[in-house]
Structures are given as structure tokens and as C-alpha cells.
Amino acid sequence: MVVLAASIISKSGKALVSRQFVDMSRIRIEGYLAAFPKLVGTGKQHTYVETENVRYVYQPIESLYLLLITNKQSNILEDLETLRLLSRLVPEYSYSLDEEGIGKTAFEILFAFDEVISLGHKENVTVAQVKQYCEMESHEERLHKLVLQSKINETKDLMKRKASEIDKSKIEKNRGERGGFMSLQSMGSGRIDTGFGSDTSISSTNGGFGSGSGFGLSTEVDSFSSKSKGRPPASASAPPKGLGMQLGKTQKTNQFLESLKAEGEVIVEDVRPTIGQSKTAALPPSDPVTLTVEEKLNVTLKQDGGIGNFDLQGTLSLQILDQDHGFIQVQIETGGNPGIIFKTHPNINKELFSGDNILGLKDPNRPFPTGQTGDGVPLLKWRMQTANESLVPLSINCWPSVSGNETYVNLEYEASPIFDLQNVAISIPLPALREAPRVQQIDGEWRYDSRKSILEWSIVLIDNSNRSGSMEFVIPAVDTSQLFPISAQFTSTSTFSDLKVVNILPLRGGNPPKFSQRTLLSSENYQVV
């Protein structure tokens, strides 16, 4: 059997797709295809037509013909089997069996024909195998992408390390001009989360708040992770001139971002820091004492309602610029949430905290450490776990429905009146699509990432004016389980603990130092599964 050509033509003989498997001139194949409609009689039940030189084996597909041109010595039973296989493949690649649909997917159809027929002879393959062969990734392409991503990651790590070094040098110079050169000391071993999910690991060689000169024995900064990125405080003002380098967007930074864009990296340029967006190193605080209240939320919601997991972890951190302000105590107040369990640092006076809500060292003759980068040293940690669905800041409901060849997806959110949420981003995973989803209605904005096949629904601010919202979009018919898990990211200046710093109490008399408080609630892992 020798198949000369496989074609899809219109009723008038116009060639839409044609693949030749032997050496044949264009004029000759066009002549064969133009002659075919004249040979097909009306009312006949045959699926083949013969001429002096070739045999046409054909099958109507709606308003078109799927046609095989073979020599007269070929086995017609094998030709019919090949034709049936091709007729099952064409709808797999073209959603509409008309001239426009075939034209849009012409190359995909040709590649499928090549997998079925080789040098005029049928290959022993199935529809599933043909689809697998056509979709198979290139090992060289995958290797190239891995090398390219590795270079991008190395460049990012270098940028973060440089930013961290600049930040450290500014703090050292600032302390030096005030006459307070001290080595960095850590307050207990542990892990401090700074910024929006960045990691800074600080360890102490002799138990943190141990005895010795100053505040503890010799300590060492174990490692500043390459992920460490500071966050500029809300109340921070520009430092006075002459106190170090001025951080900002320079021409070199812009050139670096442009190079990342050229290599395919998505860079979101926005004045507001959004979730997951890279941030530059934090400027040193302008106030002598800065306290940071940070809570991270891990929630898993179920599709049919209910909570799979709710875990909240919070930290109160202290940062002191000058050694003279290290002899202090911190008075706080909490919202009285009964579900929150507080835990002080081992070297904090627990009786003082339990009785008066005052955080002070067991030994009042030793100061708190100074000059810490990031959010400082942790004084207090707390945790909360619950199965009460009413405490969830953001509920997300997804209602997909399949109708014909399309899937209609209705998505809605409901936010708790307790929290105002900023920079909300809801990400819906989608199967690989040829075109972006058709969004019919939305409260907010949307963006489709074709590389990751993710539809992102973003709302800048959720407050009393928009506690609920919805989005509706349409995609080709899919298994609705592919639309999960849905993830969400957001921040808020309100917290579950409602912890506030009331006052700073100096231990050596004088006026209490000026202080500022930063408060942040962020979603670390928030999903609907």
C-alpha cells in the first residue's frame, strides 16, 4: 500500500490541508484534488473512486471531505482503516470542522498526519499515541530553559545579597556616627520571618540571653538567607544626607529589570508592594525603637464548605538603633482573643508579662541587643488554630458548569467585616489553552499567565464598599477538577491578636524613647481544595 497524499478539501475542491508522502509536484496534486469533486456522484454509497492512475478513498466530514489519494495497487481495506484513524484525529485538533477551523489548526493536523503515515505506509499507532507524540517535549528545550532559569535565579540572588550588604553598611555607618559601634548580637536561637515571607536565620552560640558583657555572650549571625529582603516601614522618612547611600531605582536597576524582561521574566512594576513581588532591602528605621507585629496565616478551605486547616502564627519583634535605648521594657495590650496562645522568649520575665503585660528581661542590668537588621529580635510569639469558619478573612466559592463544548465558571468571594484586605490576588489554575479565557463579568481586574496557565483575579482593596464580589469566565470544556486548588494572597493592617504597644518604659530614668509600630497580617498558604 502506498498513500500518495492525505488531504482535507471543500465540496468545491478547494484544498485546505494536503500532505504528500511521495515526490509529487504541486501542479499534479492540485490537479488530482480539483478533479475529485467531478468524480463523486450524488446518491452513491461508495467511499472510493478510481481513475486510470490513482484511487480516491474519501469520507465526508460535515461540509468537507477527508481524502486519501493512493495508487491502484494499494490494499483498499488498509486504506479504509487509515482513513478511519485520520477521521478520528481531525476533530481532536480542530474544534470546528469548517474552513476557518481547519485553517487555524492546519499545522497541528499535518503533524498528526505525519505520525500516522510514513513514506506512504501506515504506522501501527492509536489516537492516544499520536496525541502523545505530537505533545512530547524536547529534552534539549527543557535543558535550555533550566539553564536560563538558573542564570536568572543566580542574578536575582546576587542582587539581593548586594542589597543586604548595602543595608548592613548603612546601619553600621549610622551607628558609627552616633558613637555606638557594636557587634551584631542575636536574641535567642530561632528563626525570624521578615518582610513578606523572606527568611533570616539567626542563631546564638551560648543560649541567646546568656550571661556576659552587654546582652549575652559572644553571638554570631549564622546566616542571612539569599531570600532575605527587608520591608520599608510605613512611617519611615528619608534619612538625613550624609548617613550612607540612598537606596532607590537607579539606571542600573532599570537596566537589570529590562534584561530580565528580555529573557521572559514577568516583572510587575508597581508603587505598592504586592504579594510575592520582589522588594528591595529595607531602609533603617527613623525612630530609635521599632516594634513589628506580624501574623502569617495558613488556611485550607474545602470546595463544599468547611475548613480543612486553619493555622495562625504571630511574632512581636524589637529593633533598637542605639545602645543607649537598650535598657527598656515594652508594655503591650492584646484584644483578649481566647483562642490565641502566647509564648515569651526564655529570657523574658514571664511573671512580669503574665501580671502586667510588660515584656522585660529577667536581668534588668542587661540591655536588649541593638543594630539588628530586618524586623529585629523576637520577644513574643503566638499561635491560633480553629475550625470556626466565621473567623476566615476571605471565603472563596467556585461554581463550574459544563455546557456543550464550553465550561462556565462562576467565582465569588466574601470577606469578613473584621479585616480590610489589600493587594488581594486569587489565582485559578487552568488547563493549557490556545487562547485566553473569555471573562464575561468581573469585580476588579484580571490577568492570564499563558506560561503558567493561571488566571489571576486581583482586587486592590476590599473594605466595607465591596465585602463580596464575583467573576464569570468561559473556557473550553474541561474536567472541573482541573480548576483546583485555588490559591489566594492578601495583606491586612489588622491582626487576629489585635496586639498594640502601649508604652516604652525606660529602666534608667529619663524620657521614654520615641517608638513606632508596624502591623501586618499576610496569607502564607491560603487555598481552596
Side-chain angles (χ1 to χ4, degrees), residues 159 248-262 267 269-270 280:
M159 179 184 67
K249 287 189 176 181
T250 62
Q251 184 179 0
K252 187 175 294 184
T253 304
N254 292 334
Q255 291 175 353
F256 174 75
L257 293 178
E258 291 297 331
S259 65
L260 286 181
K261 289 180 181 178
I267 303 297
E269 295 184 353
D270 194 353
T280 57

Side-chain angles (χ1 to χ4, degrees), residues 7 52 69 73 101 104 233 241 243 328 353 361 385 412 465 519:
S7 308
E52 293 183 2
I69 303 177
Q73 290 76 33
K104 287 183 178 180
K241 293 184 178 180
L243 292 183
I328 59 173
F353 174 71
L361 298 175
Q385 293 180 322
E412 64 177 1
S465 63
T519 303

Side-chain angles (χ1 to χ4, degrees), residues 198-218:
S198 58
D199 299 334
T200 306
S201 300
I202 301 181
S203 67
S204 171
T205 57
N206 288 292
F209 288 94
S211 61
S213 61
F215 186 72
L217 294 176
S218 62

Side-chain angles (χ1 to χ4, degrees), residues 372-513:
Q372 296 288 352
T373 58
D375 287 336
V377 291
L379 304 181
L380 184 68
K381 293 186 178 181
W382 58 93
R383 187 172 186 179
M384 173 183 171
Q385 293 180 322
T386 183
N388 188 354
E389 192 172 0
S390 63
L391 295 178
V392 173
L394 185 68
S395 298
I396 303 171
N397 296 313
C398 182
W399 305 89
S401 59
V402 180
S403 176
N405 293 328
E406 293 182 323
T407 299
Y408 291 82
V409 183
N410 287 276
L411 208 67
E412 64 177 1
Y413 73 81
E414 292 184 8
S416 169
I418 303 175
F419 301 94
D420 289 347
L421 306 180
Q422 293 92 30
N423 303 318
V424 180
I426 301 174
S427 300
I428 306 100
L430 301 177
L433 303 177
R434 298 180 184 275
E435 298 178 354
R438 189 169 74 251
V439 178
Q440 296 184 332
Q441 182 272 328
I442 187 170
D443 296 325
E445 299 178 352
W446 67 277
R447 183 178 70 90
Y448 176 63
D449 188 340
S450 58
R451 289 196 306 166
K452 299 179 181 178
S453 194
I454 289 178
L455 177 62
E456 185 177 278
W457 178 15
S458 60
I459 307 100
V460 176
L461 174 65
I462 297 179
D463 54 15
N464 291 329
S465 63
N466 59 343
R467 291 295 177 191
S468 62
S470 62
M471 175 175 71
E472 181 179 358
F473 62 92
V474 183
I475 57 175
V478 297
D479 182 3
T480 56
S481 63
Q482 294 180 276
L483 303 176
F484 296 90
I486 298 173
S487 61
Q489 295 177 313
F490 56 83
T491 60
S492 176
T493 55
S494 302
T495 59
F496 283 87
S497 63
D498 198 20
L499 189 149
K500 294 181 175 60
V501 178
V502 179
N503 197 9
I504 299 294
L505 307 175
L507 297 178
R508 295 190 173 181
N511 296 325

Side-chain angles (χ1 to χ4, degrees), residues 92-104:
E92 293 288 337
Y93 292 95
S94 178
Y95 292 107
S96 59
L97 298 178
D98 52 20
E99 292 190 20
E100 183 180 0
I102 297 297
K104 287 183 178 180

Side-chain angles (χ1 to χ4, degrees), residues 67-78:
L67 177 65
L68 290 182
I69 303 177
T70 70
N71 58 19
K72 298 182 67 174
Q73 290 76 33
S74 67
N75 187 331
I76 192 170
L77 294 179
E78 293 186 5

